[in-house]
Amino acid sequence: MSEESERLAKALIEFREAEGISVRELARRTQLSQATIRLDESDRGRPPLPFAARRFEEVLGWTPGSIPSTAHEPTDREPPPDSSAVTG
């Protein structure tokens, strides 16, 4: 458990409790999945992806860049086909 992930987990839980909102409502406000919220609240020791970190910073009112995130966002998309390779 890293100090940063523990700090984020505690902040998210305290924010939800102070606002009186559910995981579902926090997910709606951040446009993240409930699973993502639960994972970061449970502090599994991994930093959030950059887009999740930015959304958490926004909802918590923290300075941009204050939540360390993973180095890059994984992508499951394939690059577009090279149109010059298409023959007709």
Side-chain angles (χ1 to χ4, degrees), residues 2-19:
S2 79
E3 192 173 307
E4 289 297 325
S5 60
E6 183 177 353
R7 175 178 156 253
L8 176 60
K10 184 177 179 181
L12 290 172
I13 292 166
E14 288 176 354
F15 175 81
R16 280 196 316 100
E17 290 174 352
E19 292 285 312

Side-chain angles (χ1 to χ4, degrees), residues 73-84:
E73 296 181 36
T75 179
D76 58 355
R77 290 187 239 156
E78 293 182 27
D82 182 1
S83 60
S84 65

Side-chain angles (χ1 to χ4, degrees), residues 16-78:
R16 280 196 316 100
E17 290 174 352
E19 292 285 312
I21 62 173
S22 64
V23 169
R24 182 179 184 169
E25 175 60 17
L26 182 56
R28 187 193 67 74
R29 289 185 187 188
T30 58
Q31 299 179 334
L32 299 170
S33 71
Q34 291 180 50
T36 296
I37 304 297
R38 285 188 194 102
L39 183 65
D40 288 306
E41 282 188 355
S42 69
D43 180 27
R44 300 275 165 89
R46 63 143 185 86
L49 293 172
F51 71 90
R54 300 305 77 85
R55 290 186 176 146
F56 289 143
E57 289 165 351
E58 289 172 9
V59 78
L60 294 170
W62 290 5
T63 305
S66 63
I67 298 175
S69 60
T70 56
H72 59 82
E73 296 181 36
T75 179
D76 58 355
R77 290 187 239 156
E78 293 182 27

